[in-house]
Amino acid sequence: MTGSEESPAFRLAYVPGVIPAKWVRIWNERRTDVPLTLLQVSAAEAHALMLAGDADAALVRLPVDRTVFSAIPLYTETSVVVVPKDHVVSAVEEVTAEDLADDIVLHPFDDTLAWEAFPGRPALERPATTEDAVELVAAGIGVLVVPQSLARLHHRRDLTYRPVTDAPGSQVALSWPEDRTTDLVEDFIGIVRGRTVNSSRGRREEPKAEQPKAKKSSGTGGTARKPAAGRSAGRGARGGGSGKAGGTRQGKPRRKS
C-alpha cells in the first residue's frame, strides 16, 4: 500500500431508534486497522444508500426486499401507542388494538409494522414520517402505534405511551446487498451474532496450537514394567540372596578326593 492510498473503512447505516453502540465498540476493539463510519438515515434512505454503494451494511427494520438484500434478524421490539397525557389510555398499563377502535390512529408512510388489519379509524391524510405523526398526536389529531424505541426517541413532556399487547412487533435486522458480502461484512456479522474472536465460524480465526507428539519407547517390547513389590529384580539365590540380574546359577561344591 502506498502512502497516498486510504485505509479501508466499514460504513454502517442505521435507522432511527436503533442503537448500534455495543457492536461498534466490539468492532473498534477487534478491527483497529479498519475504522467504522456510522451513518444515521431514514428507513427509506438506508436501502437506497446500500444499493448506491455508499454503505456496506445497515441496521434496519424488516421487511426488506429479499431478492436484493440479505438480512439477519437481531431482535423484536414491543409496539406501543403514543397518546397525550390526558388520554384515557394513560390510566392503564397496557391496551389491545380493540381498545383503540374509537381513536383516529395515524399511519405514517414510513411505518414498518406488519398489520393484518390496521386498528382504529383512519385519518384524512397519512403523515409522511413518524416524526410528523408524533407532532399530530401532540396537537390532539390522533394516536400513533410505533416500536417502543421510536416512542422514546420522539419523547415529549405532553405525551406518554403504553404497550399494545396484540400489535405486531418490529424486527430489527442487519442487512446488506446480497451480491456484496465482503470480508468486512462477514466480520460484522460475526460480531452481531456474538461470535468470539477465536470462533470457528469467524473469518479471522487464529491457528490452533500444535499438540506435542507422544514419545515412543526405545525398546522393542514397549514400556518396561516395574518389578512387583517384594520381588527381586534379578534371579537371586534361594533364601533371599541378592544375586545379580541375569547372574549364573551356583554349582554344587566338589568333593575332596
Side-chain angles (χ1 to χ4, degrees):
M1 178 180 293
T2 63
S4 60
E5 292 181 353
E6 294 182 356
S7 299
F10 183 67
R11 299 158 301 173
L12 178 68
Y14 66 102
V15 298
V18 177
I19 302 176
K22 177 180 71 172
W23 300 311
V24 172
R25 175 180 56 79
I26 296 173
W27 175 279
N28 290 335
E29 290 172 355
R30 294 185 185 179
R31 295 305 312 265
T32 55
D33 58 324
V34 180
L36 189 152
T37 303
L38 285 174
L39 307 168
Q40 185 173 9
V41 296
S42 68
E45 291 172 333
H47 301 152
L49 208 63
M50 288 189 288
L51 289 177
D54 295 325
D56 300 295
L59 295 168
V60 300
R61 298 183 189 278
L62 296 180
V64 297
D65 184 353
R66 291 302 185 105
T67 65
V68 178
F69 298 102
S70 295
I72 299 174
L74 302 177
Y75 60 89
T76 301
E77 281 192 70
T78 298
S79 296
V80 300
V81 58
V82 180
V83 298
K85 280 194 172 179
D86 59 356
H87 194 281
V88 63
V89 164
S90 64
V92 297
E93 293 186 357
E94 58 186 28
V95 297
T96 65
E98 182 62 27
D99 294 328
L100 306 176
D102 295 331
D103 287 286
I104 292 176
V105 180
L106 302 167
H107 191 192
F109 281 105
D110 62 357
D111 178 33
T112 58
L113 298 180
W115 293 97
E116 291 185 5
F118 199 77
R121 296 155 46 207
L124 294 177
E125 295 182 2
R126 292 183 63 180
T129 66
T130 296
E131 186 175 6
D132 293 337
V134 170
E135 294 294 330
L136 293 176
V137 174
I141 303 300
V143 300
L144 173 67
V145 181
V146 291
Q148 184 169 319
S149 66
L150 290 181
R152 290 174 176 169
L153 179 66
H154 299 295
H155 172 71
R156 292 173 51 120
R157 292 183 180 181
D158 52 347
L159 302 179
T160 188
Y161 60 85
R162 295 292 184 271
V164 183
T165 57
D166 55 351
S170 174
Q171 278 193 304
V172 174
L174 173 67
S175 181
W176 67 95
E178 189 173 325
D179 60 351
R180 293 202 294 273
T181 307
T182 65
D183 287 342
L184 294 181
V185 169
E186 288 283 6
D187 284 345
F188 198 77
I189 290 171
I191 288 173
V192 299
R193 281 184 164 169
R195 297 177 194 158
T196 63
V197 69
N198 294 325
S199 169
S200 60
R201 295 287 302 277
R203 186 176 66 84
R204 297 171 63 81
E205 179 183 4
E206 295 181 0
K208 296 181 180 179
E210 187 176 338
Q211 298 295 327
K213 297 181 180 179
K215 294 182 179 180
K216 294 182 179 179
S217 173
S218 58
T220 57
T223 305
R225 296 182 180 178
K226 294 183 178 180
R231 296 183 62 182
S232 171
R235 295 181 179 177
R238 292 184 181 180
S242 57
K244 296 180 181 179
T248 58
R249 295 182 181 178
Q250 291 183 351
K252 293 183 179 180
R254 296 181 180 179
R255 292 182 179 179
K256 292 182 181 181
S257 55

